[in-house]
Amino acid sequence: MKTILFVCTGNVCRSPMAEGWARHLLAGRDEIRVMSAGLGTADGQPPSAHAVEAMRQLGVDISGLRSRRLTPELAAEADFIFGLAQSHVDSVIMNFPEAADRVYLLREFDDSAPRTQKDIPDPIGQPLENYLRVREAIVAAMPSVLKFVERSAGARSALRIAIGADHAGLELKNA
């Protein structure tokens, strides 16, 4: 089973919207699990009312999702971690360097998004219209994300590194 993890700041708007939409698109497929988390959130917060409404308009109910902080265990569980903005990608890599090879920007594979506008903006505290724009950006990006996930092996293999040294570097090599 492949596990996708969507990450934003508070896990109450962008990442739950991405989780909800991905689950909707993957309905009935047990080989891919979808989750979301936040970098700076408290566990147990419901999604924002505007995020719930934006997704409800597409027939997707995210009202039952609850925020959770990104933990080392959650990062280790994920085969694919998608940050909704570059700052999320950078923070995940900085805080969980062992996951760096599994971290991507959500719109990284979305050719319809201009190179300079790959971040999904944070709509928190803004009007519903902003949430609808964020939702549309997530909806537009998701096919390329799922295509990437489906084409990837998903199984993580151990990385083997061989280090050689002469007698002068033996102590460092062993360390």
Side-chain angles (χ1 to χ4, degrees):
M1 175 185 296
K2 297 177 185 180
T3 299
I4 300 171
L5 177 63
F6 295 104
V7 175
C8 70
T9 306
N11 194 215
V12 294
C13 54
R14 290 173 287 180
S15 57
M17 290 168 75
E19 177 183 358
W21 187 244
R23 285 183 182 204
H24 174 77
L25 294 176
L26 295 167
R29 295 184 52 190
D30 297 333
E31 73 275 12
I32 300 176
R33 181 172 63 149
V34 181
M35 304 182 299
S36 64
L39 293 163
T41 191
D43 289 344
Q45 301 290 323
S48 71
H50 286 331
V52 171
E53 174 58 23
M55 297 310 294
R56 186 200 61 74
Q57 291 180 12
L58 295 180
V60 176
D61 182 10
I62 63 169
S63 64
L65 297 178
R66 293 297 177 260
S67 65
R68 62 177 152 184
R69 179 177 290 279
L70 180 59
T71 63
E73 297 78 19
L74 206 50
E77 234 179 285
D79 296 299
F80 305 90
I81 302 172
F82 292 97
L84 279 283
Q86 187 62 48
S87 62
H88 303 132
V89 170
D90 296 342
S91 292
V92 171
I93 291 171
M94 183 178 69
N95 291 300
F96 307 100
E98 65 284 355
D101 63 332
R102 298 176 277 123
V103 181
Y104 308 92
L105 184 60
L106 181 76
R107 295 178 86 182
E108 185 171 331
F109 310 104
D110 181 5
D111 293 332
S112 69
R115 282 200 178 291
T116 58
Q117 296 176 6
K118 294 289 186 177
D119 284 3
I120 304 286
D122 188 354
I124 198 74
Q126 298 177 18
L128 177 60
E129 296 77 37
N130 293 50
Y131 283 80
L132 297 176
R133 281 193 286 279
V134 164
R135 180 198 70 195
E136 291 311 309
I138 290 168
V139 166
M142 201 60 68
S144 62
V145 166
L146 296 180
K147 182 189 243 182
F148 172 74
V149 168
E150 289 168 347
R151 289 185 176 174
S152 298
R156 289 181 252 161
S157 59
L159 175 65
R160 298 186 90 188
I161 300 173
I163 302 174
D166 63 12
H167 67 283
L170 184 62
E171 186 178 333
L172 180 59
K173 176 190 75 109
N174 288 338

